[in-house]
Amino acid sequence: MAALVNRRTVISGFILLALVFPFLTKNSYVLHILTLAFIWMIAVYGLNLLAGYTGYLSLAHAGFFAIGAYSLGILTVKVGMNYWLAFLSSLIITCILGLLIGLIALRTKEHFFAIYTLCVGYIIYLVIDKWDGLTGGVRGLIGIPVPAGVGPLSFEEPQSQYYLILFFLLLTVLMVYRIVHSLSGRTFIAIRNSEELAKTLGIATMKNKLMVFVLSTLFAGLAGVLYASFIRFIGPDIGYITITFDLLMYLLVGGIGTLAGPIVGTILIVWVSQSLQFLQDFRMLIFGPLLTLLIIFYPRGIIGAFYEWKIKRQEKKRMRALIKKHKDAEFSDANSVPDKKVKEG
Amino acid sequence: MFLETKALTKQFGGLIAVNDVSFSLEKGKINAIIGPNGAGKSTFFNLVSGSHSPTSGQVIFKDQNITKLPPNKIAELGIARTFQTTNLFEQSTVLDNVIVGHRLRTNSTLLDAVLRTKRFKREESKCKEKAIEVLDFVGLTAVSDQLASNITQEEKKRVAFALALATDPEVVFLDEPAAGINPDETEGLAELMKKMVDRGITVCLIEHKMQMIMKLADKIMVLNYGEKIAEGTPEEIMNNQMVIEAYLGGSASA
Amino acid sequence: MLELKGLSVAYGSFTAIESIDVLVQKGEIVVLLGSNGAGKSTTFKAISGLEKPRQGEILFEGKSIGGRSPGRIVESGIVQCAEGRKLFPKMSVSENLIMGAYVHRKNKKAIKHSIKHVYELFPILYEKKENAAGSLSGGQQQMLAIGRALMAKPKLMLLDEPSIGLAPLIVEQMFEVIQQINEEGTTILLAEQNANAALGIASKGYVFESGSIVVQGTSEELLSDDSVRKAYIGA
Amino acid sequence: GCIENPSDEASGEGTEKETETPSTEGGEKLVNIGFSGPLSGPAAYYGERSFSGLEMAAEEINKNGGFEVDGQTYKINLVSLDDKYLPNEAAANAKRLVQEHQTPIVYTPHSGGVKAMQVFNEQEKFLIGAYTSEPDVTEAGNSLTVRIPPRYDNYIEPFTNYTMERFGKKLAALPTSTQYGKDWSETLLPYWKEQGGEVIYDSSIDFSKETDFFTLVTNALKEDPDVLFIGGPSEPTAKLVKQARELGFEGGFIIMDQAKLDEMKKVTKADSYELFEGSIGVMPLVNADYPGTPQFVENYQEKYENDPGSEAGFHYISLYVFVEAMKAAGTVDDSEAIRAHIQDGLDQLPKEKQVYVIDEVGKDGGFKADRSVAAIEEGEIVPIKVGE
Amino acid sequence: MDILSQQLFNGLTIGSVYSLVALGLTLVYGILHIPNFAHGAMYMLGAYVTLTMMLLWGIHYWLAMAVSVLVVGLLSVLMERLVFHPLRNAPPIHDKIAAIGILLFLEALAQLIWGADYRSMGTPYGEVINLFGLTVTMQRVLINVGAVVVMLLLYLFLKKTMVGSTIIAMAQNREGAHLVGINTNKVAMLTFLISGGLAAIAASLAAPINLVFPGMGHLVILKAFVIIILGGMGSIPGAILGGYILGFSESLGATYLSNDYKDIIAFLLLVIILSFRPKGLFAREGF
Ligand SMILES: Nc1ncnc2c1ncn2[C@@H]1O[C@H](COP(=O)(O)OP(=O)(O)OP(=O)(O)O)[C@@H](O)[C@H]1O
Ligand SMILES: Nc1ncnc2c1ncn2[C@@H]1O[C@H](COP(=O)(O)OP(=O)(O)OP(=O)(O)O)[C@@H](O)[C@H]1O
Ligand SMILES: CC(C)C[C@H](N)C(=O)O
Ligand SMILES: [Mg+2]
Ligand SMILES: [Mg+2]
């Protein structure tokens, strides 16, 4: 199992890199972008769990992101609640709303679910935008505190915020990893593959879907909460459809239904979109086609493409070995080289 | 009574697909349902398994009225089924398919998964063992690593059996298990069904392959236009004039 | 009339049929036998232009048609009645039939005539002509699929497992109809699991096994071939 | 050709050319000035118009040999980044501008961006050129924020008096649903009532999201108001006027200062202001008579083939003010010192650059400008005296 | 002025625009199963092309609209060829994201060509008329009449012509269409052509009462999606009905409930309807 060892070292390598990164650069812009990217990743993992593993494409996730962010904003700024209490409450609020919305939304399927949640997301945005009294309306909320210190740790500095957010990201990845590689994860994938069959196998699909939905909104809400205390100002825009589309774009480019997809996609797109800044007004002129081409040529995202490439290589190797060994033996066997675990993973 | 339906009726708009059908399964035997296309056989299955809810009538399983239960609850009670068009988790491996089949007998939650609790580990291996056992039973150990979409039609049929068996059922409903496979392979499936009965599992199947049905079934029900027109042993059915006219035709045992 | 020379078709890296040769004479019924996944449907798809051949030639009436678009192939007189019927479920029976005559859409009169003919063959379709195709039972749908294929007035008709999932009574009728269609002048290439019935009406057959032809011969030869009997006809 | 609106030059080649680094001769140095605004998406036009003022000022300054601070000659290099009107993007852009381009000043034309930058601008020591009317941004006590647009509250009184006298006491409010529109409403409506007026309709309209304004206008007019309070970008505001007239409204209009009468006229393709009879709004920059206005307007029209709006005017003048402040402070990179010398910058501003007259900068960092008011009477623009 | 009838008329006008946009969307969805988010960009381009024709060559409104229908229709076909055709076997999320890419690109392109500013389109039908006590402009009457005529034509085309039937056939079974000899590529292109043309007509009709700017397609497209879901995806009558339901709920909602929350009303309506009918009002696909 050389591949596994390999994988483990790669992962540890990345974590190490993330850990020492603040020491490698003095550029607070880069750190800022990276921190923000971590926040997006958390939300994308939420989306991935639902859309990638369970097959329900939610377009309301910017809404839940905003609910998390606004809950924290309102609880800290307006109510004056203790930071970590507000943090927890915000997550709970997001989950409760997620539960309520999920209960109705999950009655619909496929495109209907997608557009239904699109509308739900838009309603959330509108409510935030119009409910001046609570949310500050178009003005937004200002003065959201940084996370309160925990023991000797304080989160005033960008570096410490970076580590805090990295911590939550790693936690998210660990959780998602464990869920995906468990009976529950299999259950979700089963629902994605065929809900009807899952049901006749005795799986309470609604309960499971609801669980993923709530969990997925929890991650979106967590990202929102972190965003609010990182940017420290929030406006209704963070709940707008464009944010959902951004998240979706990160997910799809990275590879939907894969574990590494959200990280790869987010980093790549954030990086590309920052690098194209020099084009100014015409940034989208390049970015749009780039995105479209990526989708056409790497429909399974970067990670999917990587797996495919790996499998092909293995297959070739095997074929070559086969041909070498016994020139005309068991050709049919070559057909059955498992091309498994391409879609999930 | 093991499993019985009482005056089961299902209407789709103006069409009565299943009309006042009362039928009881013989425990530990092979029960068959035959009838012309569109007679309502699959619909009858859907009603029993909870995929559709009947317009009127009842389904009783071991003295419990299960008419209104959702499919997953019915599966939990020990009633499994397969579909007419073989329905598998195409994107997963055969083994993964079958592992999920035992999910309903486990209780671990998301929290167990995240915390990797004892229960999680226990149930995880329980499901795997079950899957391996069932795959062995249907004779698919060799292909357990392949994607379900990549195996042959006959293997798919067997996986469907395995999936149903993985739920630890007392009775399985098989919808045209031998459709689209050749006589040789049909033979194999018939053997498998017998093996299931030997294990104490009651079988109820829909088939058009008369040769096989007549050899295999202990009891046959014939549906026509949603109505039960006959019920009995293969011999009785084969000689039933109504059945011959409606369904079997001249070369009944072709 | 139809000749496949060294035909190979692949899905991605997987070769579904490899270098097969098939010959169908005018006026014949030829049957393709073989277990599931042997490559019968793939052969049909290649002939209909739905899959591009990787290698080899498809000759129809002496002309190569490999690589032509499906539409052109239908126009030249090959129509397939595919596995799974592929009807237009929300259109009525008669609309489905009219769509079947798509390539003759200019000729309204001929269409009327063909429809009448189909209704004569399958009176049940006439009864149901206003019903949506999706609401028919499996057997009726199969008849409609054949009827629709006939609407294109094919010289060669490809029938992919027409008896699948049908009641014995209907299967019997189905084969009678196929024979009748053949007698009316349409050449038929048939894929079947039900080897017994198929060979009963066919003049010759080919047996597929994982993408290649392993046995071929006249119906009598095949029926008396032990290995064939065992695998495809049953004891 | 006519595909291009005259104004397109602003979006077209102009931007591209200007962002190229200006040539420096021996001994000259560059000072980078940052801008983060919407350059794509629905608000792109606003962003571009804002940026064009900076661009013009920078080009002029560089053409005239730059400016001298502490014996060193500097030229200005503008660095602009697109933030799609999003706060987090603006914050990232500001970080980038400061880190990679060492900009002592970062402009942004929206309150969200300002607020997001205020989180760290004191720490990273850059001055925010805030083009926003949001009172929060200066009230928050940020020591390195300069709010460029003036307060609008001194319009309230003349607008109210004029329209109430000429048309009557019933007011219907339908301004744009941005915070700016809301600020206006919140100031205007109480004052109107104080003056004995009546507010019979109070709502707002989101121009970027409405397919047809007719529904809202119909509702605003349903109780026969005498005066309609509207505003937002000039073009949709003009449409509103037109549709109100179509629906039979014959009263006057209070037009908030975001919309400009001259631009509104252009939309209706009419030669006169007839349609806008009875409107009161800010004096269009092209018609204003501050010392530096005519020259600025002429130059702007030449460069962009379009009339400048106030966002261009204010950005233009503010860059001059900052440059003067740098001179006075004797530094181009110490943002705190520059901030401390803004008042000197205002005082030192040459007469011919006074596109507006800005007398002072408040303690909170807000500019206090004097702007004149105009009304439409008999199809002509008429200046209205503003009582002190 | 009777406020109710005036608002009913206003609702009708908005509803007409929505319906036209939604029709193009539902057509592409129903036949090719593509949720085409780039349709909003087609709407925007439709307005710009008409405007440009009128300004550049001074050609008449109707002629300009015809050119626009053609240009946008062809662009739409091009989009199908270059993007959606290669993606035809990919899951629908891919179409969505690719469409968003196109949307971003086209918006930037419009900004490059025409500038980011608001433009206004003239119309030869500017005069105000009084219809039974309603105040309307000719243009608004035109929108309503035009929409109905276009819908009728589309209906007749689909139901009564062979080409129409081929489109419907393909919507129901792509492979089946292949089998009877239909060139599905051509049908796909035709569908996009019609869909683009419908967007151009909608935009050209609506532009004179609003403004033309690069972002003008955003909200319209969002609402159009709401509409086709409301009506049942791929259902033509559903799209028409949904368009008018939304139009009326907006105009009446703004009048009798709340102006600020009127959009919420529309979206809430959808949420409620879907809660009871998870597959829309006309729960069937493929017409
Ligand atoms: N969901 C449904 N909605 C409407 N009608 C249905 C539905 N399901 C089945 N039917 C109709 O009910 C009748 C019985 O169908 P069913 O599938 O039970 O037949 P069957 O006996 O299984 O036939 P076959 O042997 O062809 O599979 C048919 O006429 C069919 O069209
Ligand atoms: N679209 C496809 N992509 C990849 N592989 C395919 C595709 N269609 C068929 N195959 C594979 O090609 C092989 C031949 O299939 P084909 O459908 O031609 O068999 P068949 O003889 O018609 O079988 P059946 O009796 O089931 O109809 C099978 O292994 C099948 O899995
Ligand atoms: C007109 C400007 C002074 C207001 C500006 N749109 C803002 O964001 O505050
Ligand atoms: Mg059935
Ligand atoms: Mg086949």
Side-chain angles (χ1 to χ4, degrees), chain A residues 289-301:
Chain A
L290 210 64
L291 178 66
T292 308
L293 288 176
L294 252 158
I295 292 298
I296 294 178
F297 291 105
Y298 298 101
R300 284 159 162 199

Side-chain angles (χ1 to χ4, degrees), chain D residues 152-363:
Chain D
Y152 50 81
D153 28 9
N154 45 346
Y155 300 124
I156 303 291
E157 191 194 317
F159 283 17
T160 306
N161 294 345
Y162 179 86
T163 46
M164 209 183 260
E165 198 169 291
R166 194 166 159 197
F167 294 100
K169 288 187 181 306
K170 284 201 281 182
L171 177 77
L174 192 60
T176 174
S177 65
T178 61
Q179 43 133 322
Y180 196 50
K182 289 190 175 164
D183 291 344
W184 257 86
S185 277
E186 280 165 25
T187 325
L188 174 70
L189 301 191
Y191 185 78
W192 183 271
K193 285 184 212 156
E194 242 168 65
Q195 300 305 304
E198 191 190 346
V199 176
I200 57 172
Y201 185 79
D202 176 14
S203 185
S204 62
I205 182 166
D206 189 342
F207 289 120
S208 63
K209 295 187 176 150
E210 216 60 62
T211 312
D212 183 8
F213 313 143
F214 231 48
T215 302
L216 296 181
V217 180
T218 306
N219 284 335
L221 297 182
K222 94 185 136 187
E223 282 171 45
D224 276 325
D226 303 313
V227 179
L228 201 54
F229 163 51
I230 53 175
S234 303
E235 297 78 3
T237 307
K239 276 274 164 190
L240 270 194
V241 171
K242 188 154 174 272
Q243 301 193 346
R245 291 289 189 235
E246 283 170 4
L247 282 165
F249 177 66
E250 283 167 356
F253 294 98
I254 291 178
I255 296 171
M256 61 183 260
D257 63 341
Q258 194 183 345
K260 285 96 196 173
L261 286 164
D262 55 333
E263 290 171 5
M264 289 171 62
K265 185 182 79 171
K266 250 183 247 154
V267 174
T268 64
K269 302 215 160 67
D271 302 323
S272 80
Y273 283 100
E274 209 176 326
L275 188 67
F276 303 103
E277 185 65 33
S279 300
I280 186 164
V282 282
M283 177 65 81
L285 192 50
V286 282
N287 301 55
D289 52 2
Y290 301 111
T293 316
Q295 187 60 48
F296 169 73
V297 171
E298 196 188 315
N299 293 347
Y300 191 95
Q301 281 169 337
E302 190 181 320
K303 182 163 159 59
Y304 297 108
E305 292 175 24
N306 194 3
D307 294 337
S310 51
E311 12 346 315
F314 273 112
H315 275 92
Y316 175 83
I317 190 173
S318 69
L319 188 58
Y320 271 102
V321 172
F322 282 132
V323 165
E324 291 302 329
M326 286 176 180
K327 288 188 199 166
T331 170
V332 295
D333 40 30
D334 181 346
S335 55
E336 280 159 11
I338 298 171
R339 170 65 186 86
H341 289 85
I342 297 275
Q343 188 60 51
D344 300 331
L346 285 171
D347 297 340
Q348 237 92 112
L349 190 69
K351 260 252 155 6
E352 71 272 17
K353 297 301 169 203
Q354 293 188 358
V355 177
Y356 289 102
V357 175
I358 303 172
D359 298 322
E360 69 172 313
V361 57
K363 269 217 174 56

Side-chain angles (χ1 to χ4, degrees), chain B residues 37 153 180-183 208 247 249 251, chain C residues 35-36 137 165 167-169 172 232:
Chain B
N37 299 105
Q153 194 69 20
I181 59 175
N182 68 37
H208 287 303
Y247 183 63
S251 52
Chain C
S35 57
N36 286 105
S137 84
L169 186 67
E172 228 171 275
Y232 301 106

Side-chain angles (χ1 to χ4, degrees), chain B residues 53-72:
Chain B
S53 61
T55 314
S56 65
Q58 287 178 333
V59 185
I60 312 285
F61 180 56
K62 297 204 289 193
D63 299 328
Q64 185 186 351
N65 185 344
I66 60 166
T67 318
K68 294 252 150 62
L69 292 185
N72 53 305

